[in-house]
Amino acid sequence: MVSPAIALAFLPLLLTLIIRYRYFFVLFYRAVLIRMWKDCVTGLSREERAFQYVLTHATPGDPDSILDTFDVWCSKVEFISNIGPKKGKILDRLLMEHSPLTVLELGAHCGYSTVRIARSLPLGARLYSIEMDQRNAAIAEKVIRLAGFDDDTVELIVNPSDEVIPQLRSDYNLERLDFVFMDHWKKCYLPDLQMLEGSGLLGKGSIILADNVLFPGAPKFLRYIRKSGLYEWRIHRATLEYSKGIRDGMAELVYQGIK
């Protein structure tokens, strides 16, 4: 049994760790413990609970209202890893600056970023959104249509990204991707980027924006873009969505082509 003297000796260290990592403890509580408890109590997934809240509180056909309602739920009710409003403004600005006509989203999740992208697209543009999880895709479909976007603007593809990317040219008649937004599994960032390069769908000036490259992080992806010589790139530093004190960032890549 540990003596009181030894326990007291470790108390300052324990307090230091709690203070230093307090934001991570809060994130664990909100993202894991609350989710597990509410999963058991409600019998619904976190994404289904979020959709119920949006359906009840947002204005149908109003993308801004739907996004704002999501933000309230994610910041005050339960944590969910959408891009969020702060980093979302970076995405908004890039879309407005470049006016892409063909956009690929890797990771629709429950449709938040899909709606955010779709509302910023110019007339005649088309967004292809890939989501591998069928339950999340079903929710994303409802959210996208609730926001007022039809199949001509947003096409939701339910399959893993490594199966869809090789088929984009043959099955979806795509010749070029003007903009790619990555917000799926971080371990997939690098292989999917290399797959896009090999597909020939990236042209000079194509933009790739990858979220959460610092937390939880995509180190292999970052090492590759630094060394490949194929991109002009920068990191937009920010904090993790709906959290305080956890540093994160988005990588913006501009494809320069093979030299």
Side-chain angles (χ1 to χ4, degrees):
M1 183 174 180
V2 178
S3 70
I6 295 175
L8 286 172
F10 279 96
L11 186 58
L13 175 61
L14 179 61
L15 290 174
T16 300
L17 291 174
I18 291 173
I19 292 170
R20 177 173 294 181
Y21 296 105
R22 63 192 182 278
Y23 297 117
F24 294 92
F25 289 127
V26 171
L27 178 62
F28 178 76
Y29 171 74
R30 295 191 65 227
V32 178
L33 297 183
I34 289 181
R35 178 182 183 178
M36 291 172 62
W37 176 66
K38 291 200 173 182
D39 283 354
C40 293
V41 170
T42 66
L44 301 173
S45 71
R46 178 181 56 179
E47 290 76 16
E48 289 169 332
R49 293 191 295 274
F51 175 68
Q52 284 189 344
Y53 185 88
V54 169
L55 190 62
T56 304
H57 294 83
T59 303
D62 185 344
D64 292 344
S65 173
I66 288 170
L67 294 175
D68 290 343
T69 305
F70 257 117
D71 290 334
V72 170
W73 191 87
C74 295
S75 59
K76 296 184 178 181
V77 183
E78 290 187 62
F79 175 87
I80 200 167
S81 56
N82 299 317
I83 186 176
K86 294 182 179 179
K87 288 188 291 183
K89 290 180 180 178
I90 299 171
L91 173 61
D92 296 344
R93 177 175 56 78
L94 290 174
L95 291 168
M96 294 298 291
E97 287 177 356
H98 296 281
S99 297
L101 293 177
T102 308
V103 180
L104 177 67
E105 178 186 35
L106 300 178
H109 198 183
C110 52
Y112 177 95
S113 54
T114 315
V115 170
R116 189 151 204 135
I117 294 170
R119 70 169 185 171
S120 299
L121 294 180
L123 187 65
R126 189 166 174 81
L127 167 60
Y128 298 85
S129 184
I130 299 174
E131 174 55 51
M132 67 175 292
D133 187 290
Q134 292 187 357
R135 290 183 68 183
N136 289 345
I139 295 164
E141 180 84 28
K142 295 175 185 176
V143 170
I144 293 163
R145 306 315 169 203
L146 185 67
F149 300 110
D150 59 20
D151 288 331
D152 291 333
T153 302
V154 180
E155 181 164 353
L156 186 62
I157 304 168
V158 187
N159 256 325
S161 55
D162 61 350
E163 294 182 13
V164 177
I165 290 173
Q167 300 172 345
L168 288 174
R169 187 180 291 275
S170 60
D171 292 2
Y172 297 90
N173 298 316
L174 293 183
E175 296 296 329
R176 172 190 165 102
L177 291 169
D178 299 318
F179 196 103
V180 178
F181 178 57
M182 292 184 167
D183 196 14
H184 56 327
W185 291 104
K186 313 315 164 195
K187 66 181 181 181
C188 296
Y189 279 17
L190 177 55
D192 283 356
L193 179 66
Q194 293 174 324
M195 203 174 297
L196 286 169
E197 292 168 359
S199 71
L201 290 172
L202 298 180
K204 186 174 176 61
S206 292
I207 307 294
I208 299 98
L209 185 66
D211 194 18
N212 303 125
V213 295
L214 300 183
F215 184 87
K220 292 182 180 179
F221 173 81
L222 293 179
R223 283 197 296 270
Y224 174 78
I225 63 175
R226 289 188 185 110
K227 295 179 179 179
S228 68
L230 299 176
Y231 303 93
E232 291 181 357
W233 63 276
R234 61 176 295 192
I235 301 294
H236 298 275
R237 296 190 177 272
T239 56
L240 184 68
E241 53 272 14
Y242 311 114
S243 299
K244 294 180 179 178
I246 300 177
R247 295 180 180 180
D248 192 16
M250 305 174 75
E252 176 193 345
L253 289 63
V254 183
Y255 186 66
Q256 299 300 305
I258 298 174
K259 298 180 180 179

